[in-house]
Amino acid sequence: MLETPSEEDSIFLSRADVDEPLSSYSEYGFELEEVFWPSVEHYFHGMKFENEDYRERVRSAAHPKQAAKLGRTRFKRIRRDWSKVRRVVMTRAVYTKCRTHPEVASRLLATGDKTLVENSQYDYFWGCGRDRRGHNNYGMVLMDVRERLREEAASLTD
């Protein structure tokens, strides 16, 4: 559960903001699983499915919002281990996006030591929730990737 961060020590952002480079909806594409993914959101929802045809349908969605909608279907079976691997999948996508687009990595590193918070009123897993008591897993993913990028930069200067 997220400790309630102070406003001055935090950066609040939305995963669904296509204009925010750190959001999962921003259209900074990357290659993973030997194919090009238009956004983190496309990759994240595509990886829910073992069915290759449906995964391709999610990957080729015209907009991240459409990929998310396809990923929330109740008519296709989601992989059994999804609840165990979803954070790893998100981390892999965000990290690959940052390594593919240096300007996104720079934006993330420029957040310093601030707490990054996915400002969703309704999502208590990825976001902070209406009462700021959610788990903020998306913010945690961003902070984990930020730390990894810092470690990589430090190892280059050693």
Side-chain angles (χ1 to χ4, degrees):
M1 188 141 338
L2 176 68
E3 278 187 38
T4 305
S6 66
E7 295 285 326
E8 63 272 359
D9 294 333
S10 303
I11 296 173
F12 293 85
L13 53 93
S14 169
R15 270 188 9 249
D17 181 355
V18 294
D19 296 323
E20 166 55 61
L22 300 180
S23 88
S24 61
Y25 276 52
S26 65
E27 296 188 62
Y28 287 89
F30 53 88
E31 189 171 314
L32 259 175
E33 311 297 331
E34 300 180 15
V35 295
F36 180 81
W37 296 89
S39 72
V40 168
E41 199 71 10
H42 283 83
Y43 179 77
F44 176 78
H45 287 288
M47 290 298 101
K48 288 180 177 180
F49 304 98
E50 293 173 346
N51 179 299
E52 293 292 328
D53 291 335
Y54 198 75
R55 185 182 288 180
E56 177 58 23
R57 186 169 170 202
V58 173
R59 189 191 72 78
S60 60
H63 189 275
K65 188 174 186 175
Q66 183 184 9
K69 184 177 179 181
L70 290 168
R72 291 187 187 105
T73 184
R74 300 286 180 237
F75 302 109
K76 296 287 182 185
R77 183 150 53 123
I78 292 174
R79 50 191 274 191
R80 292 177 194 257
D81 65 346
W82 185 243
S83 65
K84 293 177 187 168
V85 301
R86 62 186 167 176
R87 187 166 164 177
V88 172
V89 168
M90 184 68 83
T91 301
R92 186 173 186 217
V94 170
Y95 174 76
T96 303
K97 172 181 161 179
C98 286
R99 299 299 289 151
T100 303
H101 301 280
E103 66 275 20
V104 177
S106 292
R107 165 85 173 99
L108 182 55
L109 290 168
T111 62
D113 291 324
K114 296 217 179 224
T115 301
L116 302 177
V117 181
E118 204 289 301
N119 196 25
S120 171
Q121 289 188 57
Y122 307 105
D123 191 334
Y124 280 74
F125 180 80
W126 292 112
C128 64
R130 178 177 292 116
D131 58 7
R132 302 261 191 252
R133 292 174 43 188
H135 295 281
N136 189 37
N137 276 289
Y138 190 71
M140 305 291 247
V141 163
L142 289 172
M143 291 183 287
D144 290 347
V145 170
R146 179 178 67 192
E147 185 57 32
R148 184 170 175 188
L149 293 172
R150 283 183 184 154
E151 288 169 2
E152 289 173 358
S155 73
L156 293 175
T157 61
D158 289 344

PDB file of all heavy atoms in Angstrom, residues 109-139:
ATOM      1  N   LEU A 109      14.599  10.124 -15.511  1.00  0.00           N
ATOM      2  CA  LEU A 109      15.713  10.465 -14.620  1.00  0.00           C
ATOM      3  C   LEU A 109      15.577  11.878 -14.057  1.00  0.00           C
ATOM      4  O   LEU A 109      15.997  12.137 -12.922  1.00  0.00           O
ATOM      5  CB  LEU A 109      17.043  10.306 -15.365  1.00  0.00           C
ATOM      6  CG  LEU A 109      17.420   8.855 -15.680  1.00  0.00           C
ATOM      7  CD1 LEU A 109      18.579   8.810 -16.658  1.00  0.00           C
ATOM      8  CD2 LEU A 109      17.722   8.078 -14.406  1.00  0.00           C
ATOM      9  N   ALA A 110      14.966  12.778 -14.815  1.00  0.00           N
ATOM     10  CA  ALA A 110      14.779  14.160 -14.371  1.00  0.00           C
ATOM     11  C   ALA A 110      13.789  14.272 -13.205  1.00  0.00           C
ATOM     12  O   ALA A 110      13.711  15.331 -12.569  1.00  0.00           O
ATOM     13  CB  ALA A 110      14.311  15.035 -15.532  1.00  0.00           C
ATOM     14  N   THR A 111      13.080  13.196 -12.895  1.00  0.00           N
ATOM     15  CA  THR A 111      12.156  13.235 -11.756  1.00  0.00           C
ATOM     16  C   THR A 111      12.904  13.165 -10.430  1.00  0.00           C
ATOM     17  O   THR A 111      12.289  13.299  -9.368  1.00  0.00           O
ATOM     18  CB  THR A 111      11.119  12.091 -11.828  1.00  0.00           C
ATOM     19  OG1 THR A 111      11.797  10.825 -11.759  1.00  0.00           O
ATOM     20  CG2 THR A 111      10.276  12.176 -13.096  1.00  0.00           C
ATOM     21  N   GLY A 112      14.219  12.953 -10.491  1.00  0.00           N
ATOM     22  CA  GLY A 112      15.031  12.946  -9.270  1.00  0.00           C
ATOM     23  C   GLY A 112      14.631  11.845  -8.320  1.00  0.00           C
ATOM     24  O   GLY A 112      14.504  10.690  -8.715  1.00  0.00           O
ATOM     25  N   ASP A 113      14.423  12.234  -7.072  1.00  0.00           N
ATOM     26  CA  ASP A 113      14.039  11.258  -6.043  1.00  0.00           C
ATOM     27  C   ASP A 113      12.576  11.397  -5.648  1.00  0.00           C
ATOM     28  O   ASP A 113      12.147  10.878  -4.620  1.00  0.00           O
ATOM     29  CB  ASP A 113      14.927  11.421  -4.803  1.00  0.00           C
ATOM     30  CG  ASP A 113      16.357  10.999  -5.077  1.00  0.00           C
ATOM     31  OD1 ASP A 113      16.552  10.030  -5.842  1.00  0.00           O
ATOM     32  OD2 ASP A 113      17.274  11.656  -4.546  1.00  0.00           O
ATOM     33  N   LYS A 114      11.832  12.092  -6.473  1.00  0.00           N
ATOM     34  CA  LYS A 114      10.406  12.276  -6.161  1.00  0.00           C
ATOM     35  C   LYS A 114       9.667  10.943  -6.257  1.00  0.00           C
ATOM     36  O   LYS A 114      10.024  10.070  -7.041  1.00  0.00           O
ATOM     37  CB  LYS A 114       9.790  13.283  -7.116  1.00  0.00           C
ATOM     38  CG  LYS A 114      10.404  14.662  -6.957  1.00  0.00           C
ATOM     39  CD  LYS A 114       9.365  15.721  -7.123  1.00  0.00           C
ATOM     40  CE  LYS A 114      10.029  17.070  -6.929  1.00  0.00           C
ATOM     41  NZ  LYS A 114       9.252  17.934  -6.110  1.00  0.00           N
ATOM     42  N   THR A 115       8.638  10.821  -5.470  1.00  0.00           N
ATOM     43  CA  THR A 115       7.754   9.659  -5.543  1.00  0.00           C
ATOM     44  C   THR A 115       6.866   9.841  -6.758  1.00  0.00           C
ATOM     45  O   THR A 115       6.235  10.889  -6.920  1.00  0.00           O
ATOM     46  CB  THR A 115       6.893   9.557  -4.271  1.00  0.00           C
ATOM     47  OG1 THR A 115       7.760   9.441  -3.138  1.00  0.00           O
ATOM     48  CG2 THR A 115       5.959   8.361  -4.336  1.00  0.00           C
ATOM     49  N   LEU A 116       6.825   8.831  -7.616  1.00  0.00           N
ATOM     50  CA  LEU A 116       5.978   8.885  -8.803  1.00  0.00           C
ATOM     51  C   LEU A 116       4.671   8.175  -8.495  1.00  0.00           C
ATOM     52  O   LEU A 116       4.678   7.043  -7.997  1.00  0.00           O
ATOM     53  CB  LEU A 116       6.700   8.247  -9.986  1.00  0.00           C
ATOM     54  CG  LEU A 116       8.041   8.911 -10.324  1.00  0.00           C
ATOM     55  CD1 LEU A 116       8.732   8.171 -11.458  1.00  0.00           C
ATOM     56  CD2 LEU A 116       7.857  10.379 -10.658  1.00  0.00           C
ATOM     57  N   VAL A 117       3.573   8.848  -8.765  1.00  0.00           N
ATOM     58  CA  VAL A 117       2.260   8.334  -8.384  1.00  0.00           C
ATOM     59  C   VAL A 117       1.348   8.299  -9.594  1.00  0.00           C
ATOM     60  O   VAL A 117       1.143   9.320 -10.260  1.00  0.00           O
ATOM     61  CB  VAL A 117       1.617   9.214  -7.278  1.00  0.00           C
ATOM     62  CG1 VAL A 117       0.264   8.651  -6.871  1.00  0.00           C
ATOM     63  CG2 VAL A 117       2.537   9.338  -6.086  1.00  0.00           C
ATOM     64  N   GLU A 118       0.795   7.125  -9.871  1.00  0.00           N
ATOM     65  CA  GLU A 118      -0.218   6.997 -10.929  1.00  0.00           C
ATOM     66  C   GLU A 118      -1.519   7.474 -10.304  1.00  0.00           C
ATOM     67  O   GLU A 118      -2.072   6.853  -9.408  1.00  0.00           O
ATOM     68  CB  GLU A 118      -0.318   5.540 -11.390  1.00  0.00           C
ATOM     69  CG  GLU A 118      -0.855   5.388 -12.805  1.00  0.00           C
ATOM     70  CD  GLU A 118      -2.324   5.712 -12.968  1.00  0.00           C
ATOM     71  OE1 GLU A 118      -3.133   5.063 -12.308  1.00  0.00           O
ATOM     72  OE2 GLU A 118      -2.664   6.603 -13.764  1.00  0.00           O
ATOM     73  N   ASN A 119      -1.991   8.600 -10.792  1.00  0.00           N
ATOM     74  CA  ASN A 119      -3.089   9.331 -10.161  1.00  0.00           C
ATOM     75  C   ASN A 119      -4.450   8.854 -10.660  1.00  0.00           C
ATOM     76  O   ASN A 119      -5.178   9.606 -11.279  1.00  0.00           O
ATOM     77  CB  ASN A 119      -2.892  10.822 -10.435  1.00  0.00           C
ATOM     78  CG  ASN A 119      -3.722  11.683  -9.527  1.00  0.00           C
ATOM     79  OD1 ASN A 119      -4.092  11.273  -8.443  1.00  0.00           O
ATOM     80  ND2 ASN A 119      -4.020  12.895  -9.984  1.00  0.00           N
ATOM     81  N   SER A 120      -4.774   7.612 -10.385  1.00  0.00           N
ATOM     82  CA  SER A 120      -6.062   7.073 -10.795  1.00  0.00           C
ATOM     83  C   SER A 120      -7.003   7.004  -9.601  1.00  0.00           C
ATOM     84  O   SER A 120      -6.657   6.437  -8.561  1.00  0.00           O
ATOM     85  CB  SER A 120      -5.893   5.669 -11.377  1.00  0.00           C
ATOM     86  OG  SER A 120      -7.150   5.080 -11.589  1.00  0.00           O
ATOM     87  N   GLN A 121      -8.182   7.550  -9.777  1.00  0.00           N
ATOM     88  CA  GLN A 121      -9.188   7.472  -8.722  1.00  0.00           C
ATOM     89  C   GLN A 121      -9.741   6.068  -8.556  1.00  0.00           C
ATOM     90  O   GLN A 121     -10.201   5.703  -7.487  1.00  0.00           O
ATOM     91  CB  GLN A 121     -10.357   8.391  -9.053  1.00  0.00           C
ATOM     92  CG  GLN A 121     -10.066   9.847  -8.950  1.00  0.00           C
ATOM     93  CD  GLN A 121     -11.365  10.611  -9.111  1.00  0.00           C
ATOM     94  OE1 GLN A 121     -12.312  10.400  -8.360  1.00  0.00           O
ATOM     95  NE2 GLN A 121     -11.399  11.489 -10.092  1.00  0.00           N
ATOM     96  N   TYR A 122      -9.724   5.288  -9.654  1.00  0.00           N
ATOM     97  CA  TYR A 122     -10.437   4.018  -9.656  1.00  0.00           C
ATOM     98  C   TYR A 122      -9.537   2.796  -9.579  1.00  0.00           C
ATOM     99  O   TYR A 122      -9.996   1.715  -9.242  1.00  0.00           O
ATOM    100  CB  TYR A 122     -11.311   3.923 -10.915  1.00  0.00           C
ATOM    101  CG  TYR A 122     -12.209   5.118 -11.054  1.00  0.00           C
ATOM    102  CD1 TYR A 122     -11.941   6.113 -11.980  1.00  0.00           C
ATOM    103  CD2 TYR A 122     -13.306   5.280 -10.212  1.00  0.00           C
ATOM    104  CE1 TYR A 122     -12.759   7.235 -12.085  1.00  0.00           C
ATOM    105  CE2 TYR A 122     -14.120   6.401 -10.300  1.00  0.00           C
ATOM    106  CZ  TYR A 122     -13.841   7.368 -11.243  1.00  0.00           C
ATOM    107  OH  TYR A 122     -14.639   8.470 -11.328  1.00  0.00           O
ATOM    108  N   ASP A 123      -8.281   2.949  -9.898  1.00  0.00           N
ATOM    109  CA  ASP A 123      -7.369   1.812  -9.956  1.00  0.00           C
ATOM    110  C   ASP A 123      -6.540   1.751  -8.678  1.00  0.00           C
ATOM    111  O   ASP A 123      -5.650   2.573  -8.459  1.00  0.00           O
ATOM    112  CB  ASP A 123      -6.463   1.940 -11.192  1.00  0.00           C
ATOM    113  CG  ASP A 123      -5.683   0.679 -11.476  1.00  0.00           C
ATOM    114  OD1 ASP A 123      -5.427  -0.098 -10.528  1.00  0.00           O
ATOM    115  OD2 ASP A 123      -5.327   0.476 -12.648  1.00  0.00           O
ATOM    116  N   TYR A 124      -6.831   0.764  -7.855  1.00  0.00           N
ATOM    117  CA  TYR A 124      -6.122   0.613  -6.595  1.00  0.00           C
ATOM    118  C   TYR A 124      -4.927  -0.330  -6.721  1.00  0.00           C
ATOM    119  O   TYR A 124      -4.151  -0.442  -5.792  1.00  0.00           O
ATOM    120  CB  TYR A 124      -7.069   0.124  -5.495  1.00  0.00           C
ATOM    121  CG  TYR A 124      -7.909   1.245  -4.928  1.00  0.00           C
ATOM    122  CD1 TYR A 124      -8.973   1.778  -5.646  1.00  0.00           C
ATOM    123  CD2 TYR A 124      -7.612   1.800  -3.702  1.00  0.00           C
ATOM    124  CE1 TYR A 124      -9.727   2.823  -5.133  1.00  0.00           C
ATOM    125  CE2 TYR A 124      -8.362   2.851  -3.170  1.00  0.00           C
ATOM    126  CZ  TYR A 124      -9.423   3.358  -3.900  1.00  0.00           C
ATOM    127  OH  TYR A 124     -10.157   4.391  -3.391  1.00  0.00           O
ATOM    128  N   PHE A 125      -4.775  -0.994  -7.860  1.00  0.00           N
ATOM    129  CA  PHE A 125      -3.593  -1.824  -8.081  1.00  0.00           C
ATOM    130  C   PHE A 125      -2.485  -0.997  -8.730  1.00  0.00           C
ATOM    131  O   PHE A 125      -1.409  -0.850  -8.183  1.00  0.00           O
ATOM    132  CB  PHE A 125      -3.906  -3.055  -8.947  1.00  0.00           C
ATOM    133  CG  PHE A 125      -2.684  -3.901  -9.179  1.00  0.00           C
ATOM    134  CD1 PHE A 125      -2.247  -4.777  -8.196  1.00  0.00           C
ATOM    135  CD2 PHE A 125      -1.960  -3.813 -10.355  1.00  0.00           C
ATOM    136  CE1 PHE A 125      -1.097  -5.533  -8.380  1.00  0.00           C
ATOM    137  CE2 PHE A 125      -0.813  -4.567 -10.558  1.00  0.00           C
ATOM    138  CZ  PHE A 125      -0.381  -5.428  -9.562  1.00  0.00           C
ATOM    139  N   TRP A 126      -2.744  -0.445  -9.919  1.00  0.00           N
ATOM    140  CA  TRP A 126      -1.728   0.337 -10.634  1.00  0.00           C
ATOM    141  C   TRP A 126      -1.637   1.762 -10.097  1.00  0.00           C
ATOM    142  O   TRP A 126      -0.595   2.399 -10.178  1.00  0.00           O
ATOM    143  CB  TRP A 126      -2.006   0.363 -12.132  1.00  0.00           C
ATOM    144  CG  TRP A 126      -1.821  -0.969 -12.774  1.00  0.00           C
ATOM    145  CD1 TRP A 126      -2.798  -1.767 -13.314  1.00  0.00           C
ATOM    146  CD2 TRP A 126      -0.593  -1.682 -12.959  1.00  0.00           C
ATOM    147  NE1 TRP A 126      -2.234  -2.920 -13.799  1.00  0.00           N
ATOM    148  CE2 TRP A 126      -0.886  -2.896 -13.594  1.00  0.00           C
ATOM    149  CE3 TRP A 126       0.736  -1.413 -12.623  1.00  0.00           C
ATOM    150  CZ2 TRP A 126       0.083  -3.839 -13.921  1.00  0.00           C
ATOM    151  CZ3 TRP A 126       1.709  -2.347 -12.942  1.00  0.00           C
ATOM    152  CH2 TRP A 126       1.379  -3.541 -13.574  1.00  0.00           C
ATOM    153  N   GLY A 127      -2.722   2.283  -9.566  1.00  0.00           N
ATOM    154  CA  GLY A 127      -2.768   3.670  -9.140  1.00  0.00           C
ATOM    155  C   GLY A 127      -2.896   3.846  -7.648  1.00  0.00           C
ATOM    156  O   GLY A 127      -2.799   2.896  -6.871  1.00  0.00           O
ATOM    157  N   CYS A 128      -3.136   5.101  -7.261  1.00  0.00           N
ATOM    158  CA  CYS A 128      -3.228   5.431  -5.836  1.00  0.00           C
ATOM    159  C   CYS A 128      -4.661   5.367  -5.317  1.00  0.00           C
ATOM    160  O   CYS A 128      -4.875   5.389  -4.111  1.00  0.00           O
ATOM    161  CB  CYS A 128      -2.641   6.814  -5.582  1.00  0.00           C
ATOM    162  SG  CYS A 128      -3.521   8.167  -6.387  1.00  0.00           S
ATOM    163  N   GLY A 129      -5.628   5.284  -6.230  1.00  0.00           N
ATOM    164  CA  GLY A 129      -7.020   5.225  -5.787  1.00  0.00           C
ATOM    165  C   GLY A 129      -7.529   6.577  -5.320  1.00  0.00           C
ATOM    166  O   GLY A 129      -6.764   7.514  -5.108  1.00  0.00           O
ATOM    167  N   ARG A 130      -8.800   6.663  -5.169  1.00  0.00           N
ATOM    168  CA  ARG A 130      -9.472   7.910  -4.780  1.00  0.00           C
ATOM    169  C   ARG A 130      -8.962   8.428  -3.436  1.00  0.00           C
ATOM    170  O   ARG A 130      -8.790   9.625  -3.237  1.00  0.00           O
ATOM    171  CB  ARG A 130     -10.983   7.673  -4.705  1.00  0.00           C
ATOM    172  CG  ARG A 130     -11.786   8.876  -4.267  1.00  0.00           C
ATOM    173  CD  ARG A 130     -13.286   8.610  -4.287  1.00  0.00           C
ATOM    174  NE  ARG A 130     -13.737   8.448  -5.663  1.00  0.00           N
ATOM    175  CZ  ARG A 130     -14.256   7.314  -6.151  1.00  0.00           C
ATOM    176  NH1 ARG A 130     -14.403   6.262  -5.384  1.00  0.00           N
ATOM    177  NH2 ARG A 130     -14.632   7.235  -7.402  1.00  0.00           N
ATOM    178  N   ASP A 131      -8.701   7.517  -2.506  1.00  0.00           N
ATOM    179  CA  ASP A 131      -8.300   7.920  -1.157  1.00  0.00           C
ATOM    180  C   ASP A 131      -6.786   7.880  -0.945  1.00  0.00           C
ATOM    181  O   ASP A 131      -6.302   7.976   0.171  1.00  0.00           O
ATOM    182  CB  ASP A 131      -8.999   7.040  -0.116  1.00  0.00           C
ATOM    183  CG  ASP A 131      -8.697   5.557  -0.322  1.00  0.00           C
ATOM    184  OD1 ASP A 131      -7.859   5.210  -1.178  1.00  0.00           O
ATOM    185  OD2 ASP A 131      -9.307   4.734   0.383  1.00  0.00           O
ATOM    186  N   ARG A 132      -6.040   7.707  -2.046  1.00  0.00           N
ATOM    187  CA  ARG A 132      -4.566   7.672  -2.013  1.00  0.00           C
ATOM    188  C   ARG A 132      -4.021   6.495  -1.199  1.00  0.00           C
ATOM    189  O   ARG A 132      -2.900   6.530  -0.719  1.00  0.00           O
ATOM    190  CB  ARG A 132      -3.980   8.979  -1.468  1.00  0.00           C
ATOM    191  CG  ARG A 132      -4.376  10.202  -2.233  1.00  0.00           C
ATOM    192  CD  ARG A 132      -3.281  10.600  -3.187  1.00  0.00           C
ATOM    193  NE  ARG A 132      -3.500  11.909  -3.755  1.00  0.00           N
ATOM    194  CZ  ARG A 132      -3.864  12.088  -5.019  1.00  0.00           C
ATOM    195  NH1 ARG A 132      -4.058  11.079  -5.802  1.00  0.00           N
ATOM    196  NH2 ARG A 132      -4.034  13.307  -5.482  1.00  0.00           N
ATOM    197  N   ARG A 133      -4.834   5.447  -1.054  1.00  0.00           N
ATOM    198  CA  ARG A 133      -4.397   4.273  -0.307  1.00  0.00           C
ATOM    199  C   ARG A 133      -4.167   3.073  -1.224  1.00  0.00           C
ATOM    200  O   ARG A 133      -3.968   1.955  -0.733  1.00  0.00           O
ATOM    201  CB  ARG A 133      -5.413   3.958   0.784  1.00  0.00           C
ATOM    202  CG  ARG A 133      -5.406   5.038   1.855  1.00  0.00           C
ATOM    203  CD  ARG A 133      -6.469   4.899   2.887  1.00  0.00           C
ATOM    204  NE  ARG A 133      -6.650   3.524   3.339  1.00  0.00           N
ATOM    205  CZ  ARG A 133      -7.622   3.136   4.129  1.00  0.00           C
ATOM    206  NH1 ARG A 133      -8.492   4.002   4.562  1.00  0.00           N
ATOM    207  NH2 ARG A 133      -7.731   1.890   4.482  1.00  0.00           N
ATOM    208  N   GLY A 134      -4.169   3.301  -2.537  1.00  0.00           N
ATOM    209  CA  GLY A 134      -3.921   2.221  -3.483  1.00  0.00           C
ATOM    210  C   GLY A 134      -2.468   1.789  -3.480  1.00  0.00           C
ATOM    211  O   GLY A 134      -1.614   2.400  -2.831  1.00  0.00           O
ATOM    212  N   HIS A 135      -2.171   0.748  -4.213  1.00  0.00           N
ATOM    213  CA  HIS A 135      -0.820   0.162  -4.231  1.00  0.00           C
ATOM    214  C   HIS A 135       0.171   0.918  -5.109  1.00  0.00           C
ATOM    215  O   HIS A 135       1.369   0.757  -4.954  1.00  0.00           O
ATOM    216  CB  HIS A 135      -0.904  -1.298  -4.665  1.00  0.00           C
ATOM    217  CG  HIS A 135      -1.649  -2.146  -3.690  1.00  0.00           C
ATOM    218  ND1 HIS A 135      -1.090  -2.611  -2.532  1.00  0.00           N
ATOM    219  CD2 HIS A 135      -2.936  -2.581  -3.686  1.00  0.00           C
ATOM    220  CE1 HIS A 135      -1.980  -3.315  -1.854  1.00  0.00           C
ATOM    221  NE2 HIS A 135      -3.117  -3.303  -2.536  1.00  0.00           N
ATOM    222  N   ASN A 136      -0.316   1.717  -6.064  1.00  0.00           N
ATOM    223  CA  ASN A 136       0.540   2.527  -6.929  1.00  0.00           C
ATOM    224  C   ASN A 136       1.613   1.694  -7.645  1.00  0.00           C
ATOM    225  O   ASN A 136       2.764   2.108  -7.760  1.00  0.00           O
ATOM    226  CB  ASN A 136       1.195   3.671  -6.141  1.00  0.00           C
ATOM    227  CG  ASN A 136       1.914   4.653  -7.035  1.00  0.00           C
ATOM    228  OD1 ASN A 136       1.464   4.967  -8.133  1.00  0.00           O
ATOM    229  ND2 ASN A 136       3.052   5.140  -6.579  1.00  0.00           N
ATOM    230  N   ASN A 137       1.261   0.543  -8.137  1.00  0.00           N
ATOM    231  CA  ASN A 137       2.246  -0.305  -8.794  1.00  0.00           C
ATOM    232  C   ASN A 137       2.860   0.335 -10.033  1.00  0.00           C
ATOM    233  O   ASN A 137       4.033   0.118 -10.311  1.00  0.00           O
ATOM    234  CB  ASN A 137       1.647  -1.667  -9.135  1.00  0.00           C
ATOM    235  CG  ASN A 137       1.706  -2.595  -7.948  1.00  0.00           C
ATOM    236  OD1 ASN A 137       2.766  -3.055  -7.565  1.00  0.00           O
ATOM    237  ND2 ASN A 137       0.557  -2.852  -7.342  1.00  0.00           N
ATOM    238  N   TYR A 138       2.102   1.138 -10.784  1.00  0.00           N
ATOM    239  CA  TYR A 138       2.701   1.788 -11.947  1.00  0.00           C
ATOM    240  C   TYR A 138       3.775   2.792 -11.518  1.00  0.00           C
ATOM    241  O   TYR A 138       4.850   2.847 -12.099  1.00  0.00           O
ATOM    242  CB  TYR A 138       1.651   2.453 -12.842  1.00  0.00           C
ATOM    243  CG  TYR A 138       2.254   2.906 -14.148  1.00  0.00           C
ATOM    244  CD1 TYR A 138       2.643   1.988 -15.109  1.00  0.00           C
ATOM    245  CD2 TYR A 138       2.471   4.252 -14.415  1.00  0.00           C
ATOM    246  CE1 TYR A 138       3.225   2.386 -16.304  1.00  0.00           C
ATOM    247  CE2 TYR A 138       3.042   4.662 -15.607  1.00  0.00           C
ATOM    248  CZ  TYR A 138       3.425   3.726 -16.542  1.00  0.00           C
ATOM    249  OH  TYR A 138       4.009   4.119 -17.721  1.00  0.00           O
ATOM    250  N   GLY A 139       3.495   3.557 -10.497  1.00  0.00           N
ATOM    251  CA  GLY A 139       4.503   4.465  -9.957  1.00  0.00           C
ATOM    252  C   GLY A 139       5.729   3.711  -9.480  1.00  0.00           C
ATOM    253  O   GLY A 139       6.873   4.140  -9.704  1.00  0.00           O
TER     254      GLY A 139
END
